[in-house]
Amino acid sequence: MTWKPHATVAVVVEDTEGRFLLVEEISSGLVVFNQPAGHIEEDEAILDAVRRETLEETGYKVEPTHFLGLYTYKAPANGVTYHRFCYSARALEKVTDQLDDGIIAAHWLSLEEIAGLGDRLRSPLVLRCIEDYRNGRRFPLDVVVDAET
C-alpha cells in the first residue's frame, strides 16, 4: 500500500472583538467544529485554497495575512495523515449564505467557547492553531512558495 498524505489548508480568522471564525460541520456522522479548512485542489495555489475554502465554508471573503505553520496530524478515526498549512487571515466581507455540503453553520466564538467544545473539535489542531496565533506565531506569506505553472 502506498502512503498518500493529504495536503490541507486551515484558516484562523479573528474579529475585532477577539472571536474566531469556526464552522460547525458533519464529519464521519458527527457534528464537530473546525476552522474553515479543506483539501488543496490539484494545480491550486495554496493561498487560493485559503480564500476558496473560507468562502465556501463560511460565506466570507478573506485576505491571508500570515503563515502560522505546517501541522501534521494522523486522524485516529480513519488513519489518514493530514498536512495542514495553517494561515491567519482578515475577514473582508460576508458575500453569501450559501455554504458547502456538510457545513451546518459558521460561528464567531471566543477562545473560552472554543476550549469548552472539548471533543467536539474536529481535531486537537483546531485549538493548537488558535493558541499559536494568540501566542504571536507569525511567518510571512512568502515562506511557502507555490511554483509557477
Side-chain angles (χ1 to χ4, degrees):
M1 184 168 152
T2 303
W3 177 65
K4 183 179 176 186
H6 291 245
T8 64
V9 294
V11 189
V12 174
V13 182
E14 183 179 21
D15 72 5
T16 57
E17 297 175 30
R19 298 174 305 168
F20 295 91
L21 184 59
L22 291 189
V23 296
E24 183 179 5
E25 63 186 349
I26 298 172
S27 176
S28 301
L30 300 173
V31 175
V32 294
F33 290 80
N34 196 10
Q35 275 102 12
H39 285 83
I40 302 164
E41 295 179 357
E42 187 173 356
D43 297 326
E44 182 177 39
I46 293 173
L47 291 177
D48 289 342
V50 167
R51 293 179 188 99
R52 176 185 55 76
E53 284 292 348
T54 307
L55 179 61
E56 290 175 353
E57 294 192 353
T58 70
Y60 281 90
K61 283 188 176 182
V62 298
E63 187 54 40
T65 55
H66 295 95
F67 178 64
L68 298 181
L70 176 59
Y71 299 77
T72 302
Y73 177 70
K74 185 172 184 175
N78 60 12
V80 171
T81 299
Y82 295 91
H83 294 278
R84 173 187 260 220
F85 292 81
C86 191
Y87 288 83
S88 62
R90 181 172 45 90
L92 301 176
E93 63 179 319
K94 184 159 185 177
V95 296
T96 184
D97 290 321
Q98 181 76 32
L99 305 179
D100 261 359
D101 288 341
I103 303 296
I104 298 167
H107 302 280
W108 290 98
L109 301 173
S110 69
L111 181 60
E112 294 75 25
E113 290 170 318
I114 296 166
L117 292 169
D119 64 357
R120 293 186 63 201
L121 294 176
R122 183 154 182 183
S123 83
L125 293 183
V126 176
L127 193 53
R128 172 70 189 271
C129 289
I130 293 171
E131 288 172 342
D132 286 351
Y133 168 82
R134 286 185 41 106
N135 288 329
R137 184 181 184 105
R138 308 275 196 291
F139 299 98
L141 293 175
D142 64 2
V143 76
V144 176
V145 179
D146 276 312
E148 294 181 8
T149 54

